């Protein structure tokens, strides 16, 4: 029997995240992986927006939003979620719709794959990470970007999972309980659903704020996945753009597909250029 294939999976529900996924897919291709790259996309994205992903040999899979109750959708609508659980550390772009995050769970329906590694569309893969396919469900890195206390929580921008119709059904049942409110959407839910989650090294999901909040932790040679949480590198002049300039420049090199530097050769915080 031939072993089941594996896949990197991302999610795109609007043209902005399609841009993100283009840079991500190009970065994954550059690692010479043998795994598939699957882009889950909703009907909110046009063929034109997805064209560059086809060129990068991604497999496009159209998905619907999850079958959730009106009350659930209302509680997790952007204005209600931002009101009940305000973001105090950074700012979410206007094109970010919290409810869309839950579509990530559709990954468990991709049962043609043995293992799947989900990666947010606002990330870049800087090194080959195929070994993650050998890691168990559910593996994720801690949500570290400010202090040691962050190690208590996971970040759902990168995770290892095993597609399974049974798991998907159990998740749906656990997700939409009367009154359930997941303040950080899929991330809070996954932490709850997999209380014994396995910890990946922080370098498997290095969050951009580490660059200025915890510079001692930054090491370009070690970073396998760079994740632009909160403000996105393609937003024009966002509030943290000056502080994140080298990271933003790197994202644009991947997005445009030219003059991509060797990330391992970039200066760490405080090092001369
Ligand atoms: N996403 C999407 N459309 C949305 C919101 C989220 O396609 O309106 C997908 C996309 O893959 C994105 C991920 O869900 O990278 C999680 O959202 P985001 O990365 O903006 O959250 P953050 O990393 O800032 O917490
Ligand atoms: Mn993200």
């Amino acid at each position: 029997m031939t072993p089941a294939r594996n896949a990197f999976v991302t999610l795109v529900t609007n043209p902005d995240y399609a841009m993100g996924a283009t840079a991500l897919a190009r970065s994954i291709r550059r690692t010479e992986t043998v795994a598939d790259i699957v882009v889950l996309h909703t009907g909110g994205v046009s063929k034109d927006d997805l064209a560059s992903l086809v060129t990068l040999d991604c497999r496009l899979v159209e998905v619907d939003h999850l079958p959730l109750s009106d009350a659930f959708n209302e509680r997790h609508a952007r204005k209600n979620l931002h009101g009940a659980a305000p973001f105090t550390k950074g700012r979410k772009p206007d094109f970010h719709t919290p409810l869309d995050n839950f579509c990530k769970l559709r990954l468990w329906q991709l049962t043609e794959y043995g293992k799947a590694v989900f990666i947010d569309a606002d990330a870049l893969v800087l090194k080959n990470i195929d070994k993650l396919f050998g890691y168990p469900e559910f593996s994720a890195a801690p949500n570290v970007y400010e202090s040691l206390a962050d190690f208590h929580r996971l970040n759902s921008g990168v995770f290892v999972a095993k597609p399974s119709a049974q798991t998907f059904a159990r998740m749906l049942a656990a997700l939409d309980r009367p009154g359930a409110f997941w303040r950080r959407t899929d991330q809070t839910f996954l932490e709850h659903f997999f209380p014994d989650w396995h910890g990946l090294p922080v370098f498997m999901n290095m969050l951009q704020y580490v660059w200025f909040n915890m510079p001692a932790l930054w090491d370009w040679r070690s970073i396998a996945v760079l994740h632009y949480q909160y403000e996105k590198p393609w937003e024009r002049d966002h509030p943290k753009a000056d502080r994140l300039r080298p990271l933003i420049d790197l994202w644009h090199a991947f997005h445009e597909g030219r003059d991509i530097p060797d990330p391992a050769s970039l200066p760490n915080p405080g090092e001369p250029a």
Side-chain angles (χ1 to χ4, degrees):
M1 205 179 88
T2 46
R5 291 190 60 77
N6 297 318
F8 291 106
V9 181
T10 192
L11 170 67
V12 167
T13 71
N14 62 41
D16 274 276
Y17 287 101
M19 287 174 62
T22 300
L24 170 65
R26 185 170 288 121
S27 74
I28 297 173
R29 282 278 165 253
R30 198 167 152 277
T31 70
E32 299 183 344
T33 182
V34 293
D36 286 4
I37 304 178
V38 174
V39 178
L40 303 176
H41 69 93
T42 56
V45 204
S46 74
K47 268 211 150 52
D48 277 359
D49 293 327
L50 297 167
S52 55
L53 293 163
V54 175
T55 309
L56 287 160
D57 208 16
C58 297
R59 193 183 146 209
L60 303 183
V61 175
E62 184 163 352
V63 294
D64 285 330
H65 280 84
L66 298 178
L68 298 164
S69 66
D70 291 346
F72 182 100
N73 291 340
E74 185 62 19
R75 278 194 300 277
H76 296 85
R78 181 175 165 113
K79 63 175 183 337
N80 294 336
L81 185 134
H82 284 231
F87 291 88
T88 56
K89 314 285 188 181
R91 153 190 152 291
K92 296 282 180 185
D94 292 341
F95 52 78
H96 179 273
T97 305
L99 253 183
D100 290 3
N101 291 346
F102 292 106
C103 296
K104 284 188 195 180
L105 303 188
R106 294 269 186 208
L107 166 152
W108 273 271
Q109 293 183 293
L110 299 172
T111 51
E112 63 273 42
Y113 296 107
K115 278 279 175 64
V117 171
F118 182 87
I119 308 180
D120 266 8
D122 60 345
L124 295 173
V125 176
L126 304 182
K127 288 180 172 208
N128 184 293
I129 53 169
D130 287 357
K131 67 178 175 195
L132 289 186
F133 294 116
Y135 286 32
E137 172 172 280
F138 179 88
S139 301
N143 195 32
V144 170
Y145 60 87
E146 200 174 62
S147 73
L148 278 180
D150 300 337
F151 275 89
H152 291 293
R153 297 185 304 138
L154 66 79
N155 183 284
S156 61
V158 176
F159 61 81
V160 183
K162 182 155 184 53
S164 148
Q166 288 83 347
T167 308
F168 181 68
R170 283 201 297 121
M171 285 180 149
L172 277 189
L175 183 64
D176 194 358
R177 293 257 170 83
F181 176 61
W182 307 103
R183 50 187 290 125
R184 294 296 172 251
T185 62
D186 64 296
Q187 182 159 292
T188 318
F189 173 71
L190 289 167
E191 202 170 71
H192 165 88
F193 193 79
F194 295 107
D196 297 322
W197 55 283
H198 301 273
L200 297 174
V202 289
F203 298 114
M204 290 294 178
N205 184 358
M206 183 52 75
L207 300 173
Q208 63 175 349
Y209 284 16
V210 172
W211 175 260
F212 54 76
N213 277 338
M214 310 172 90
L217 188 57
W218 200 274
D219 177 19
W220 282 113
R221 281 161 307 175
S222 307
I223 297 173
V225 182
L226 171 54
H227 181 184
Y228 297 80
Q229 105 284 17
Y230 291 124
E231 296 84 4
K232 304 307 168 214
W234 61 90
E235 286 184 78
R236 215 171 274 281
D237 297 327
H238 67 60
K240 302 214 169 57
D242 285 343
R243 299 167 81 185
L244 293 169
R245 188 56 60 197
L247 283 63
I248 293 172
D249 290 346
L250 181 66
W251 184 87
H252 281 282
F254 276 97
H255 180 255
E256 278 103 62
R258 58 184 161 77
D259 301 331
I260 299 172
D262 172 12
S265 71
L266 294 172
N268 286 322
E271 282 177 10

